[in-house]
Amino acid sequence: MMQHAHAPVHAAAAPPCPPHGQNRISPNNRFTPVCDHADQEVGTTASRRTRRGDFLRAATWAITQRLHPKAGDTTLRVARDLAARLNTDGHVAYCRDTMWRRLGISRRTLERHIAVLRELGLLVWAVHGTRTNTRPAGSGEWAGTATIYAAVVPRAWDDALGHRVNGHGYHARHIGFTERGRQLAITDARRRTHPTRRRDTPSCKTNHLRPTVEMRGKKNNTSAPRGARPRPRHEIPELYQASPGQAAHAVSVAAWVRPRVPWTQGESLRRLAFALRPWIATGLSAADIAADLSVWRVPRRPASPASVIMSRWSETASQDQPTAASDDREDTACAVPPNAAFLAAMDAIRARHTPLSPPAEPQPDPPGFVIRDRILASLAQADRARRARTAEQCLTFAEWEALCDAKERAPW
């Protein structure tokens, strides 16, 4: 028997455990999943914060490269659902009880794929949810604390795509590209700008019969046949026809009416002026038209306010025509004139009601650009006040998510 036959076998020394905040790299320079929960926090992760597009591209890359043995199509579906609900800070509420029903998977499957995304360095905990009741004691209601995840991308993805990153951890920033990364970014941008179009096979195309033309002489072009039907022209009804001066006056009236009638504010100024031309032709002032439109029973935000006004005018005109025809057929000789006592009573009523309702003086119409500037200033002020709200001022989490999505257009 050889001397070293019973010598103890020395086990290979395990690689040293990296400090918190650094992903473990295997000896063959391949990414190793982050399995320690202590490295899956915002303050200890080695991945950097990201936005929706980079999060989805990094998730697709990690799954196609098979960096995790349990990652698959369901993992990508979970990542897309989370990316659709990301706010401007890159945070998203877990919402486990509704998410697994929406995706059509079991709750355990959802938890397993969320853990896979955390181990891939694509998700980290921003807030740990608890079952502690946040409602006042004695209210009879219960509401726990939601789990908030932050979308991140691992350093391995930045290295694979040639990204230059400044800093380390969650607050690291993408500041540029290497030479190889620049070529990859240009190729990816061209692919996303000009997607490949699917071409049908020749058997799927149909060759329609084309009409033959009669060649006259040696020219290779022919004129249209004499019996061709002319192109239909859109004729404006007589009620809506107006001269340039009348059209400009109608626009000024519409500019005065639109801010004072809420349900007309969704219509453009020229379309509203076109719909109001018959009303202006009857001699009504802008104040009278606004008063009439304000008492109409219409939806709060109709799809086409101009169509509502035009249809109401057509209904009014159709109701007035039979009345006028019936009045012409009546025999005016049979009517009895009012006596002196009736006339005296009417004069007394008019004299008593005249001081209570004096005639309104016509107000000068301000220019259209003044009204436009006022409306734009009020809308901008309302938008600034809405964007300046904080999480404490929002009544529900859905309202806070909607506010964060509205801020997504602004840069960080």
Side-chain angles (χ1 to χ4, degrees):
M1 184 176 295
M2 299 180 64
Q3 182 179 1
H4 59 274
H6 295 281
V9 178
H10 298 280
C17 181
H20 291 305
Q22 296 184 4
N23 291 335
R24 288 173 289 189
I25 305 298
S26 59
N28 56 355
N29 294 328
R30 295 190 63 184
F31 174 79
T32 302
V34 184
C35 300
D36 192 358
H37 286 188
D39 295 336
Q40 299 175 4
E41 302 285 346
V42 169
T44 60
T45 181
S47 304
R48 63 176 179 88
R49 61 185 302 186
T50 184
R51 294 185 179 183
R52 180 179 302 169
D54 288 346
F55 173 72
L56 284 178
R57 284 191 286 270
T60 305
W61 173 83
I63 294 173
T64 54
Q65 293 295 325
R66 299 184 180 276
L67 300 185
H68 198 286
K70 297 182 180 180
D73 296 337
T74 306
T75 311
L76 188 58
R77 287 179 55 201
V78 173
R80 288 173 180 170
D81 186 90
L82 294 173
R85 297 185 285 115
L86 283 176
N87 58 14
T88 54
D89 295 331
H91 294 176
V92 60
Y94 185 12
C95 300
R96 179 187 59 183
D97 294 338
T98 58
M99 188 175 177
W100 67 272
R101 293 189 180 93
R102 182 169 56 250
L103 295 176
I105 57 179
S106 64
R107 183 181 302 180
R108 184 68 187 91
T109 302
L110 175 62
E111 294 174 354
R112 184 168 61 251
H113 288 284
I114 288 290
V116 169
L117 291 176
R118 291 200 310 267
E119 294 177 1
L120 285 174
L122 297 171
L123 283 181
V124 292
W125 274 297
V127 176
H128 285 273
T130 61
R131 298 186 63 84
T132 304
N133 191 7
T134 58
R135 298 298 174 86
S139 61
E141 300 178 355
W142 177 88
T145 305
T147 300
I148 307 297
Y149 281 114
V152 292
V153 290
R155 191 61 177 265
W157 182 71
D158 290 328
D159 296 340
L161 270 67
H163 293 171
R164 294 172 53 202
V165 179
N166 182 20
H168 180 76
Y170 180 74
H171 295 285
R173 295 184 299 110
H174 176 208
I175 60 175
F177 295 90
T178 61
E179 290 297 333
R180 176 175 172 274
R182 186 176 294 106
Q183 297 298 328
L184 293 176
I186 293 173
T187 303
D188 184 66
R190 288 176 178 174
R191 179 184 58 81
R192 287 188 279 111
T193 305
H194 303 286
T196 57
R197 297 181 180 179
R198 187 185 65 180
R199 297 182 179 180
D200 296 333
T201 58
S203 59
C204 296
K205 297 182 179 179
T206 305
N207 296 325
H208 300 282
L209 296 177
R210 299 181 179 180
T212 58
V213 296
E214 181 182 357
M215 303 297 295
R216 298 178 181 179
K218 296 183 179 180
K219 297 182 179 179
N220 60 352
N221 54 359
T222 57
S223 59
R226 296 182 179 180
R229 185 170 56 184
R231 183 177 299 177
R233 299 180 59 185
H234 179 68
E235 297 183 358
I236 301 177
E238 185 178 358
L239 290 174
Y240 296 95
Q241 294 179 0
S243 62
Q246 294 174 348
H249 176 65
V251 170
S252 65
V253 172
W256 195 91
V257 170
R258 188 172 64 174
R260 292 165 175 81
V261 183
W263 61 270
T264 62
Q265 295 175 4
E267 190 61 87
S268 64
L269 203 60
R270 294 185 179 273
R271 286 177 55 86
L272 184 61
F274 181 83
L276 292 178
R277 285 182 184 179
W279 305 86
I280 300 173
T282 57
L284 294 176
S285 62
D288 297 336
I289 295 176
D292 292 343
L293 298 181
S294 300
V295 298
W296 286 7
R297 298 179 62 88
V298 294
R300 184 177 180 181
R301 292 294 182 185
S304 178
S307 302
V308 174
I309 296 175
M310 295 174 69
S311 62
R312 186 66 63 92
W313 174 262
S314 61
E315 293 175 1
T316 305
S318 62
Q319 292 177 0
D320 292 343
Q321 288 179 358
T323 305
S326 61
D327 292 343
D328 294 340
R329 291 193 299 266
E330 290 181 356
D331 189 2
T332 56
C334 298
V336 179
N339 53 16
F342 180 78
L343 294 177
M346 291 298 297
D347 293 338
I349 292 174
R350 291 194 187 97
R352 187 165 59 250
H353 284 276
T354 299
L356 298 179
S357 57
E361 297 181 358
Q363 300 179 358
D365 296 340
F369 67 90
V370 175
I371 299 176
R372 181 194 60 188
D373 294 341
R374 292 175 183 174
I375 295 175
L376 293 178
S378 61
L379 292 177
Q381 180 64 25
D383 188 66
R384 285 194 298 269
R386 183 178 61 85
R387 290 177 180 271
R389 291 181 300 172
T390 60
E392 291 77 8
Q393 295 176 349
C394 296
L395 299 179
T396 60
F397 185 78
E399 186 178 356
W400 171 243
E401 280 191 332
L403 180 60
C404 294
D405 292 339
K407 293 181 182 178
E408 189 174 0
R409 301 186 185 93
W412 287 351

